[in-house]
């Protein structure tokens, strides 16, 4: 009715109508402008005072606002920004790399024409390095303080700390040095003092460093910051007649002198370290806005979506190298790649390793071994990037996902049928390994990794109704989530009953792939490489190791080694056979040691077995436990040196065991043939004829037989003595102080047992044990 009266009045006065229309348009423009200044969670975008709290529940539970274009912000009016991901903890010289990256970002901002009144935004995303690395504890205080001081000195750029996951330790200091803090609602920030010995007083220099950064930025109240650092302090939220303050218990008296305290609440009790969720930080005023993902972050900061994607060319002074993993993944290729990685990092100090993967998979155990090697590298020290131009199927997909980042070409795919058929038992064992070990070292769920090799594992899209987060779980993994009631199950990612396979664009859409590039040149541009990265290939030493550890060469080395021992036993004092034998055994174990199949266990077994055989031959004549045990240890060492396990647990390991046994059996057969040939022809050779211990012939044989018959022990028949060694059957016995070589007639006789001579012929004395 009011509008009808106004309309009638306006119809009677056209000039008034024009002025009213202009007024209405101005009101509408003001409303749109006010909406554009609201945060994604619906709260006002103006910065809160660091020492004052927001009203309880203010906007913390409100839904995120729509995208920028939905609230009237044109694409051309979005600001400029760069995002750098800082992986905690900061160790080594990580802070230096981050400072260099920040300087690069500043240089880019200088080359960008900014709109009047708008500063570019530098976003520092603070996250733990890996899923299993806790909450980023372990950051060196001096490195965090150095980086924080540099951040407080930045001018002309707005710094924003984005915390999507909980962080603890001195990495918190970096967030305090930023102008604004953006957090996931459930993520927490605090417990900065966990990196210190909380049983002792925090060093004054550390406390002073935190106070300096807080005073420079005033992002977080000093009392809250110190409550995160020192467990001896009690932090209070105090309502006065003028405002809401955050104070330490010791500072409460000073506040009372000038204010009337209405109420007070303990936020951090003495004896504990303060930690605050994103919701609590928003309530207390030191968290600017809540964002569960980067899209929400971009909307909240009025930035384009590409501004919140890490710019790889800013990250650091790359010293890159490329490795190739083509064709089926075998144990040999895995060992070569692992050796190259270790060499490149230790000798060339590379900090960017690209792994070009064009593989249909391989043995699951080999793929998991390489994946673990890649995942265990420190992401702050070395960036690993999987580059897939064609395919990474089966186990090769797990290797690709174990890298820090995945870059694919448009026609490539990730996952799919493996080139090697795998039985159910092996798949279950591999899934257990992925769940317990590998997944925690990557940014992916164990379900996503296992689905690349297990066709029976179904992965679904799950949405968190509270935070808006999207993850990919199997039903089992979703049920194991601590807040499982908040997750809502979505569609299956792949066809039922098949291994998960993702095209490049689909992988990019799901956040599995970091980027899709059209060519290798575009990959270089992505990371800011001026030239193609150097390609690392196996050198002659690696090729020699591979050749020496091959089955054929291994058989040859073993034959040479044992034949050398045979020659040495028949030419005592010369040493040629012993030298050749020792060299062959050394090459055998050295090549297998570097090949990854032999270790100190095999070497100790072999040396121990030889020692027992020498004891049996030289100390305790016969063929007893030392001889049998030593022979078994030598054989066991040779078999174990040819494989990567002790007892087989899968079909592939059984096949490897059969290969190890074949090597040893072939070597044994060749040794027997060689020994027979040497026994027949070696004494006649011109070189060894004068060196070998040839048996006596002709007149010398007659003289030897006579000498042996001269030794007459017939007078000992019927005498009792004591066995001084174990008679197995040969040994020694004592007869009234005379030590005689004897042979047991029948069963072996233990050392110290009473014996009686039953027969003596020449120097051959037969004895039997005397029954007690």
């Amino acid at each position: 009715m009011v509008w009808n009266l106004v309309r009638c009045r306006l119809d009677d006065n056209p000039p008034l109508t024009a002025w009213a229309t202009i007024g209405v348009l101005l009101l509408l423009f003001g409303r749109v402008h006010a909406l554009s200044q609201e945060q994604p969670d619906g709260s006002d975008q103006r910065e809160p005072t660091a020492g004052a709290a927001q009203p309880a529940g203010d906007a913390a539970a409100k839904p995120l606002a729509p995208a920028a274009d939905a609230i009237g912000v044109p694409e051309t009016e979005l600001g400029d920004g760069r995002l750098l991901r800082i992986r905690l903890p900061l160790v080594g010289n990580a802070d230096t790399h981050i400072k260099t990256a920040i300087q690069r970002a500043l240089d880019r901002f200088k080359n960008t024409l900014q709109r009047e009144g708008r500063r570019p935004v530098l976003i520092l995303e603070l996250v733990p390095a890996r899923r299993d690395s806790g909450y980023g504890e372990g950051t060196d205080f001096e490195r965090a303080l150095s980086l924080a001081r540099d951040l407080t000195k930045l001018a002309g750029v707005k710094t924003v700390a984005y915390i999507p996951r909980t962080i603890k330790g001195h990495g918190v200091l970096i967030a305090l040095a930023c102008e604004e803090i953006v957090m996931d609602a459930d993520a927490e920030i605090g417990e900065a003092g966990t990196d210190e010995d909380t049983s002792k007083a925090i060093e004054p220099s550390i406390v002073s460093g935190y106070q300096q950064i807080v005073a420079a930025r005033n992002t977080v109240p000093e009392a809250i910051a110190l409550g995160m650092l020192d467990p001896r302090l009690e932090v209070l939220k105090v309502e006065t007649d003028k405002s809401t303050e955050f104070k330490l218990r010791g500072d409460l008296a000073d506040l009372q002198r000038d204010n009337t305290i209405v109420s007070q609440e303990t936020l951090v009790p003495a004896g504990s370290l303060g930690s605050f969720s994103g919701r609590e930080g928003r309530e207390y005023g030191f968290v600017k806005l809540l964002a569960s993902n980067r899209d929400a972050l971009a909307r909240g900061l009025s930035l384009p979506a590409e501004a919140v994607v890490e710019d790889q060319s800013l990250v650091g002074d790359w010293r890159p190298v490329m490795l190739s993993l083509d064709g089926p993944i075998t144990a040999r290729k895995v060992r070569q790649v692992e050796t190259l990685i270790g060499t490149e990092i230790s000798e060339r100090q590379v900090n960017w390793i690209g792994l070009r993967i064009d593989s249909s998979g391989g043995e699951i155990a080999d793929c998991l071994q390489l994946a673990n090697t890649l995942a265990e590298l420190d992401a702050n020290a070395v960036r690993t990037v999987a580059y897939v131009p064609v395919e990474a199927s089966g186990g090769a997909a797990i290797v690709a996902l174990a890298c820090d980042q995945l870059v694919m070409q448009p026609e490539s795919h990730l996952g799919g049928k493996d080139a090697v058929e795998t039985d159910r038992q092996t798949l279950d064992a591999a899934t257990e390994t992925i769940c317990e070990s590998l997944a925690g070292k990557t940014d992916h769920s164990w379900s996503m990794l296992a689905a690349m090799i297990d066709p029976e594992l179904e992965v679904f899209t799950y949405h968190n109704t509270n935070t808006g987060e999207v993850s990919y779980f199997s039903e089992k993994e979703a049920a194991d989530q601590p807040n499982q009631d908040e997750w809502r199950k979505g569609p299956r990612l792949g066809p039922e009953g098949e291994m998960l396979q993702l095209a490049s664009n689909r992988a990019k859409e799901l956040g599995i792939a970091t980027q899709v590039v059209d060519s290798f040149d575009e990959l270089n541009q992505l990371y800011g490489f001026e030239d193609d990265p150097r390609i690392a290939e196996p050198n002659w030493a690696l090729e020699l190791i591979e050749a020496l550890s091959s089955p054929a060469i291994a058989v040859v080395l073993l034959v040479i080694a044992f034949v050398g021992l045979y020659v040495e036993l028949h030419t005592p004092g010369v040493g040629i056979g012993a030298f050749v034998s020792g060299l062959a055994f050394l090459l055998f174990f050295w090549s297998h040691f570097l090949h990854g199949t032999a270790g100190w266990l095999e070497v100790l077994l072999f040396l121990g077995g030889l020692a027992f055989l020498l004891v049996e031959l030289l100390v305790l004549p016969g063929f007893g436990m030392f001889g049998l045990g030593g022979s078994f240890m030598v054989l066991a060492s040779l078999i174990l040196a040819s494989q990567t396990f002790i007892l087989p647990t899968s079909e592939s390991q059984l096949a490897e065991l059969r290969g190890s046994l074949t090597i040893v059996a072939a070597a044994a057969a060749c040794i027997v043939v060689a020994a027979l040939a040497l026994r027949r022809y070696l004494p006649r050779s011109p070189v060894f004829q004068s060196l070998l211990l040839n048996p006596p012939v002709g007149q010398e044989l007659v003289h030897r037989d006579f000498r042996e018959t001269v030794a007459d022990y017939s007078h000992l028949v019927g005498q009792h003595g004591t066995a001084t060694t174990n008679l197995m059957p040969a040994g020694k016995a004592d007869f009234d102080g005379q030590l005689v070589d004897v042979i047991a007639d029948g069963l072996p006789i233990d050392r110290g047992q009473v014996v009686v001579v039953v027969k003596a012929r020449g120097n051959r004395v037969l004895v039997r044990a005397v029954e007690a």
Side-chain angles (χ1 to χ4, degrees):
M1 183 176 64
V2 174
W3 170 247
N4 290 333
L5 292 174
V6 173
R7 186 179 60 182
C8 293
R9 184 61 177 168
L10 292 177
D11 289 341
D12 296 337
N13 194 337
L16 182 60
T17 302
W19 284 109
T21 302
I22 293 173
V24 170
L25 291 175
L26 289 175
L27 288 174
L28 290 174
F29 177 81
R31 179 55 181 164
V32 170
H33 179 71
L35 285 172
S36 67
Q37 298 302 309
E38 289 182 0
Q39 292 199 63
D41 58 1
S43 60
D44 187 64
Q45 187 84 349
R46 293 172 297 177
E47 297 193 17
T49 303
Q54 298 282 343
D58 177 34
K62 294 182 180 180
L64 292 175
D69 56 351
I71 59 174
V73 180
E75 183 70 22
T76 55
E77 294 186 10
L78 295 176
D80 187 17
R82 295 288 189 278
L83 182 142
L84 293 176
R85 201 175 200 203
I86 299 178
R87 295 167 175 82
L88 302 176
L90 291 186
V91 293
N93 59 349
D95 60 318
T96 304
H97 295 315
I98 295 171
K99 292 177 183 178
T100 303
I102 291 175
Q103 186 58 51
R104 284 197 180 93
L106 296 178
D107 294 340
R108 299 281 180 87
F109 287 143
K110 290 178 182 178
N111 297 329
T112 303
L113 181 62
Q114 300 297 319
R115 293 188 304 276
E116 183 178 355
R118 298 283 307 263
R119 291 184 297 162
V121 181
L122 178 62
I123 305 169
L124 302 180
E125 182 177 353
L126 303 173
V127 293
R130 300 287 190 187
R131 285 176 178 263
D132 66 345
S133 58
Y135 301 106
E137 304 97 323
T139 293
D140 180 75
F141 168 72
E142 293 298 333
R143 297 195 177 279
L145 179 61
S146 174
L147 178 57
R149 284 173 174 167
D150 283 4
L151 289 173
T152 59
K153 296 175 184 176
L154 293 182
V157 176
K158 181 168 73 172
T159 53
V160 176
Y162 175 46
I163 304 174
R165 302 204 299 266
T166 299
I167 61 170
K168 298 178 182 180
H170 288 310
V172 169
L173 190 59
I174 302 172
L176 303 184
C178 295
E179 294 181 49
E180 296 179 0
I181 298 177
V182 180
M183 295 181 63
D184 181 276
D186 294 324
E188 294 187 7
I189 180 174
E191 296 189 26
T194 193
D195 290 334
E196 302 295 329
D197 185 357
T198 54
S199 63
K200 302 177 182 178
I202 303 296
E203 293 183 13
S205 60
I206 297 178
V207 176
S208 174
Y210 273 78
Q211 291 175 326
Q212 174 189 356
I213 298 303
V214 169
R217 277 304 187 198
N218 201 31
T219 303
V220 176
E222 180 178 312
I224 289 181
L226 295 180
M228 298 177 182
L229 177 66
D230 193 341
R232 300 174 304 164
L233 302 178
E234 182 180 1
V235 181
L236 304 175
K237 176 184 176 183
V238 183
E239 295 281 352
T240 69
D241 56 341
K242 300 177 181 178
S243 64
T244 301
E245 305 285 343
F246 298 96
K247 295 293 181 180
L248 300 176
R249 172 68 70 179
D251 299 334
L252 191 59
D254 295 336
L255 183 65
Q256 288 177 322
R257 280 197 294 267
D258 301 324
N259 299 272
T260 301
I261 296 180
V262 179
S263 64
Q264 64 183 39
E265 174 188 353
T266 300
L267 295 185
V268 182
S272 63
L273 292 172
S275 184
F276 302 88
S277 68
R279 288 189 182 86
E280 292 172 329
R282 185 76 183 91
E283 176 184 347
Y284 300 145
F286 63 83
V287 171
K288 182 64 178 288
L289 61 91
L290 302 178
S292 61
N293 51 50
R294 290 184 179 179
D295 290 339
L297 176 67
R299 293 197 300 268
L301 298 177
S302 297
L303 296 175
E306 59 269 19
V308 294
V309 176
E310 185 178 19
D311 188 344
Q312 304 301 324
S313 63
L314 297 178
V315 176
D317 293 318
W318 296 125
R319 296 182 294 277
V321 67
M322 285 293 298
L323 310 178
S324 294
L325 190 64
D326 299 331
I329 297 177
T330 62
R332 175 181 178 180
K333 287 185 179 180
V334 170
R335 287 187 289 269
Q336 283 186 342
V337 171
E338 289 178 335
T339 302
L340 288 173
I341 290 174
T343 302
E344 292 293 331
I345 293 176
S346 61
E347 297 183 4
R348 298 180 181 270
Q349 286 77 48
V350 301
N351 58 7
W352 189 96
I353 297 177
L355 187 62
R356 183 187 181 280
I357 303 176
D358 185 5
S359 171
S360 57
E363 290 290 347
I364 296 300
D366 298 329
C367 296
L368 290 180
Q369 179 181 336
L370 180 56
N372 268 300
T373 299
L374 293 167
E376 288 173 354
L377 295 175
D378 183 2
N380 276 327
V382 180
R383 175 70 56 84
T384 55
V385 178
Y387 172 53
V388 181
V390 180
E391 69 166 331
S393 303
I398 297 180
V399 175
L401 294 177
C403 295
D404 297 323
Q405 294 174 335
L406 171 61
V407 179
M408 305 176 68
Q409 286 196 188
E411 303 302 323
S412 63
H413 68 266
L414 180 73
K417 185 175 180 58
D418 200 305
V420 177
E421 293 291 338
T422 307
D423 59 274
R424 186 71 253 170
Q425 181 181 359
T426 303
L427 285 177
D428 291 340
T431 300
E432 184 178 355
T433 301
I434 292 172
C435 181
E436 295 180 355
S437 175
L438 180 60
K441 303 171 187 175
T442 71
D443 293 328
H444 307 288
S445 66
W446 69 259
S447 301
M448 177 62 70
L449 295 169
M452 297 295 169
I453 59 173
D454 190 349
E456 297 182 7
L457 185 65
E458 297 180 339
V459 179
F460 299 88
T461 302
Y462 280 83
H463 297 264
N464 191 298
T465 58
N466 188 30
T467 66
E469 179 184 358
V470 177
S471 292
Y472 308 104
F473 301 138
S474 62
E475 292 180 341
K476 182 179 184 302
E477 186 173 9
D480 293 337
Q481 299 301 308
N483 50 349
Q484 56 175 311
D485 294 339
E486 298 178 2
W487 293 97
R488 293 292 177 266
K489 181 179 176 182
R492 183 190 298 108
L493 289 189
E496 184 177 359
E498 297 182 8
M499 293 181 185
L500 182 61
Q501 179 174 312
L502 301 174
S504 57
N505 290 329
R506 178 60 171 161
K508 177 68 168 60
E509 177 186 342
L510 297 176
I512 305 301
T514 306
Q515 192 61 267
V516 176
V517 298
D518 292 326
S519 64
F520 189 77
D521 290 337
E522 192 171 333
L523 175 72
N524 291 339
Q525 295 174 9
L526 177 65
Y527 289 94
F529 301 150
E530 296 181 359
D531 301 314
D532 289 348
R534 178 175 50 83
I535 298 177
E537 296 178 341
N539 55 19
W540 66 268
L542 281 177
E543 296 294 347
L544 176 61
I545 292 170
E546 293 295 337
L548 290 176
S549 59
S550 64
I553 300 299
V555 170
V556 172
L557 288 176
L558 291 177
V559 170
I560 293 174
F562 282 104
V563 169
L565 284 178
Y566 179 87
V567 172
E568 181 63 26
L569 292 175
H570 287 76
T571 59
V574 178
I576 296 178
F579 175 78
V580 173
S581 175
L583 182 61
F585 278 128
L586 180 63
L587 288 175
F588 176 82
F589 282 104
W590 174 71
S591 61
H592 284 77
F593 188 87
L594 295 181
H595 201 245
T597 56
W600 287 112
L601 171 64
E602 288 78 9
V603 174
L604 292 176
L605 279 174
F606 180 77
L607 293 178
L610 284 183
F612 288 155
L613 287 175
L614 291 175
V615 168
E616 185 70 29
L617 291 174
L618 303 178
V619 181
L620 301 174
F623 197 70
M625 286 302 300
F626 282 100
L628 291 173
S631 300
F632 175 79
M633 291 173 65
V634 169
L635 288 175
S637 68
L638 298 178
I639 293 173
L640 292 177
S642 303
Q643 58 193 36
T644 57
F645 54 88
I646 296 178
L647 295 176
T649 57
S650 65
E651 288 294 334
S652 60
Q653 291 182 349
L654 283 173
E656 189 174 349
L657 176 60
R658 287 192 292 269
S660 302
L661 293 174
T662 301
I663 291 175
V664 175
C670 293
I671 290 168
V672 171
V673 173
L676 293 175
L678 289 174
R679 180 181 178 86
R680 181 172 181 178
Y681 298 107
L682 190 63
R684 303 177 185 177
S685 64
V687 177
F688 291 95
Q689 190 172 12
S690 60
L691 300 177
L692 291 175
L693 297 177
N694 297 318
V697 294
Q699 191 65 28
E700 185 181 354
L701 179 60
V702 173
H703 286 295
R704 190 196 69 174
D705 292 339
F706 174 76
R707 289 194 301 270
E708 289 183 352
T709 58
V710 170
D712 185 14
Y713 292 103
S714 59
H715 65 282
L716 294 179
V717 176
Q719 289 194 23
H720 289 71
T722 305
T724 58
T725 66
N726 293 330
L727 306 184
M728 309 275 300
K732 295 180 181 295
D734 180 45
F735 298 92
D736 294 331
Q738 183 180 7
L739 195 63
V740 180
D741 291 326
V742 298
I743 299 175
D745 183 20
L747 296 176
I749 300 173
D750 294 333
R751 175 183 174 184
Q753 192 168 352
V754 178
V755 296
V756 61
V757 179
V758 295
K759 187 177 181 180
R761 181 181 179 183
N763 63 349
R764 180 180 176 85
V765 180
L766 295 179
V767 298
R768 289 180 183 174
V770 176
E771 298 296 336

